[in-house]
Amino acid sequence: MAIKHIVAGVVLAAFASVGGYVFLSDSTQTAPPSNFVLLDGSSKSTNDLKGKVTLVNFWATSCVTCVAEMPEIIATHNKYKDQGFDTLAIAMSYDPPSYVVNFAQSRQLPFNVALDNTGAVAKAWGDVKLTPTTYIVNKQGEIVKTYIGQPNFEELHKLIEKLLAQA
């Protein structure tokens, strides 16, 4: 019995340290080169993110947390869009395109939505498997923050404001 508790403690500690790194890391890395196919058939690339602060959100219509956080993402986009902020929502490869289109239209999403039909974009961005996973990309095209699960939107807004104020 004691061995089970020790093993559980070690596993929990290892998970906590990895989670701490994911959420608390202040280091930056360049956003991976990617091409995004948007719902209207046009495309964007990682290079198009440069010059703006961008929220990149990996999500799925079947993800309860993703659906629940979407009104906050919309509000965040609308609050900062005129200040050099953009949002890109990337639907996971397992999400049927018709569901994604219906969701985007019925909720009048005011930002670009991309389909990742092959899973290549999720793979390039750190092999994203959990949704929602959200990246904040600065004006230089560097990932400065990663959220797995719903972000603390108050903290997120402070980060966005800080990044928008930078040259």
Side-chain angles (χ1 to χ4, degrees), residues 54-68:
T54 307
L55 181 149
V56 178
N57 177 252
F58 286 85
W59 69 290
T61 59
S62 59
C63 164
V64 174
T65 305
C66 301
V67 172

Side-chain angles (χ1 to χ4, degrees), residues 12-167:
L12 185 60
F15 181 74
S17 67
V18 169
Y21 175 76
V22 170
F23 295 108
L24 301 176
S25 174
D26 287 330
S27 63
T28 59
Q29 68 181 53
T30 302
S34 306
N35 289 313
F36 311 105
V37 178
L38 305 180
L39 292 183
D40 66 4
S42 65
S43 64
K44 279 188 141 186
S45 73
T46 306
N47 285 337
D48 296 323
L49 305 181
K50 290 183 179 172
K52 289 188 171 197
V53 174
T54 307
L55 181 149
V56 178
N57 177 252
F58 286 85
W59 69 290
T61 59
S62 59
C63 164
V64 174
T65 305
C66 301
V67 172
E69 77 174 2
M70 201 56 78
E72 286 278 0
I73 291 178
I74 292 168
T76 299
H77 176 80
N78 288 336
K79 181 175 183 176
Y80 297 108
K81 69 181 180 183
D82 295 331
Q83 300 173 46
F85 176 79
D86 202 4
T87 304
L88 176 62
I90 303 169
M92 298 296 284
S93 62
Y94 54 79
D95 212 353
S98 61
Y99 290 20
V100 177
V101 169
N102 182 54
F103 186 95
Q105 288 176 345
S106 66
R107 289 167 178 80
Q108 299 178 337
L109 298 183
F111 43 76
N112 288 314
V113 177
L115 296 171
D116 185 16
N117 290 329
T118 65
V121 177
K123 186 130 184 95
W125 284 70
D127 202 15
V128 174
K129 299 223 186 292
L130 299 173
T131 55
T133 295
T134 303
Y135 297 93
I136 303 301
V137 180
N138 67 14
K139 294 176 187 177
Q140 291 73 41
E142 300 165 327
I143 297 171
V144 296
K145 187 81 168 178
T146 303
Y147 296 93
I148 299 174
Q150 184 169 327
N152 172 326
F153 281 93
E154 185 178 327
E155 173 194 300
L156 174 62
H157 288 187
K158 288 178 185 172
L159 176 61
I160 291 168
E161 289 166 11
K162 176 183 165 191
L163 294 172
L164 287 171
Q166 295 174 351

